Amino acid sequence: MIKIDLHLHSAFSDGELSVPELVLSLKKCGVSVAALTDHDTTNGVELFLARCRSAAIKSMSGVEISAAYGGVLHITGYRFGLENKALQDALKKNRSARLDRNLRICERLRELGLDITLEEVRTYAGSDLIGRPHVALAMVNKGYVHSISSAFERYLKRGAAAYVPRLLLPPEDCIGVLRLAGGLPVLAHPLQTTPDLDDLPPVLRRLKDAGLWGMECWFPGASPSVVYRCLGLAREFELRPTAGSDFHGDRHAGKHVGVAVNEDLLPWAVLCGGL
Ligand code: AMP
Ligand code: ZN
Ligand code: FE
Ligand code: FE
């Protein structure tokens, strides 16, 4: 068995740890293959690759993109060219859509009587990438809610009082732009897309036709039987199974870096090629 982790967030998006801290914790936990998959930004990737190289951890470029879908559908991408213009333009568009959305979330919160401004929220972000977890942190620190998860439950989750949707690319476009950049697109945490895995096949058909390469089969909250069923679906749709913790930091209880998998799970040479 080896420990891998192809789904990690740093302070370049909404993770708690800086890139060097994250790589230290990968090293400490014995992870030997890893990718940083920050939301809508690859700004941390070069540093991540350099630190992984020094720590003798195999690594490749990575990113996570949320797609337009009835519910949650997140695509992680790997091994793409960092300089690819179409991909970087798409990520930039997503970041600017976030900005509009965050402004509107803060407005909504103020209408609800919570004194939260975007400037305040910005102080909780480690880079220019601001997400709802940063809004939640500001709300906790001001005492409006007692935890990040209650901020989501009461105000920020889809359908809650201050929820504002974000302009997103269709899944086909997320997959297409990653493929054009030489990347390998993967469906992340599939249980968030269809809480009942019986509903997943039509989604996988659609994504596979668009060029999906893999499917996360080990993810937070996946019981052994869920992993087993995901592996079966991956085989059925000829998708590579991957594993990731979706680690955002220790504040998010119960999440640790590293997932133990069989050494022959993935063609590491393909995934890590050239990097
Ligand atoms: P955003 O990128 O602004 O749409 O925020 C999405 C991020 O918020 C996800 O990556 C999660 O880290 C976090 N998140 C989503 N739902 C919840 C929840 N119910 N409780 C805590 N964090 C959440
Ligand atoms: Zn996140
Ligand atoms: Fe995600
Ligand atoms: Fe994630």
Side-chain angles (χ1 to χ4, degrees):
M1 301 286 272
I2 53 166
K3 268 198 197 170
I4 72 170
D5 204 326
L6 301 182
H7 193 154
L8 297 161
H9 296 276
S10 77
F12 276 95
S13 65
D14 54 2
E16 240 178 282
L17 302 188
S18 68
V19 166
E21 287 168 342
L22 182 60
V23 175
L24 266 179
S25 105
L26 292 170
K27 193 68 193 165
K28 240 194 292 183
C29 294
V31 173
S32 53
V33 184
L36 178 68
T37 52
D38 276 321
H39 303 278
D40 297 328
T41 180
T42 58
N43 287 345
V45 170
E46 275 186 55
L47 180 59
F48 183 81
L49 294 175
R51 292 297 171 120
C52 281
R53 215 174 294 126
S54 308
I57 296 170
K58 288 196 188 83
S59 65
M60 69 229 72
S61 56
V63 72
E64 181 172 16
I65 310 175
S66 307
Y69 184 74
V72 175
L73 197 161
H74 294 179
I75 302 290
T76 47
Y78 305 98
R79 201 212 59 179
F80 47 80
L82 276 176
E83 309 297 329
N84 183 272
K85 186 169 181 324
L87 176 60
Q88 289 301 339
D89 284 350
L91 297 178
K92 204 182 285 172
K93 252 191 211 158
N94 275 2
R95 292 198 295 270
S96 81
R98 277 177 179 278
L99 211 63
D100 298 341
R101 176 211 211 181
N102 291 327
L103 267 172
R104 291 180 55 205
I105 291 177
C106 291
E107 274 168 24
R108 225 17 237 128
L109 287 170
R110 286 197 298 277
E111 282 164 19
L112 293 164
L114 286 73
D115 177 28
I116 299 281
T117 64
L118 187 60
E119 287 60 44
E120 259 178 290
V121 170
R122 211 186 289 279
T123 64
Y124 294 93
S127 74
D128 61 345
L129 194 294
I130 303 175
R132 283 177 292 166
H134 302 121
V135 181
L137 269 175
M139 292 166 73
V140 172
N141 268 24
K142 281 207 147 173
Y144 290 125
V145 285
H146 58 81
S147 67
I148 292 181
S149 57
S150 61
F152 271 89
E153 273 313 303
R154 289 176 59 188
Y155 296 100
L156 301 175
K157 73 173 187 186
R158 180 187 287 265
Y163 177 75
V164 176
R166 172 157 74 93
L167 203 68
L168 298 166
L169 288 173
E172 286 80 1
D173 293 17
C174 298
I175 291 169
V177 79
L178 284 164
R179 279 288 189 188
L180 276 174
L184 304 170
V186 169
L187 175 64
H189 42 63
L191 222 46
Q192 289 188 27
T193 299
T194 57
D196 183 345
L197 284 177
D198 287 343
D199 299 329
L200 196 58
V203 182
L204 291 179
R205 179 77 273 143
R206 176 179 165 190
L207 301 181
K208 173 75 183 178
D209 288 347
L212 193 71
W213 179 82
M215 167 177 161
E216 219 172 58
C217 291
W218 287 264
F219 48 85
S223 64
S225 78
V226 163
V227 173
Y228 182 79
R229 290 178 67 202
C230 284
L231 288 171
L233 285 165
R235 201 176 314 115
E236 184 183 339
F237 287 88
E238 297 177 310
L239 296 166
R240 303 281 193 180
T242 72
S245 66
D246 203 3
F247 181 77
H248 281 78
D250 298 323
R251 201 165 45 220
H252 302 253
K255 286 198 184 176
H256 309 279
V257 294
V259 185
V261 297
N262 279 334
E263 200 143 343
D264 60 359
L265 179 78
L266 276 171
W268 304 117
V270 172
L271 207 49
C272 304
L275 289 169

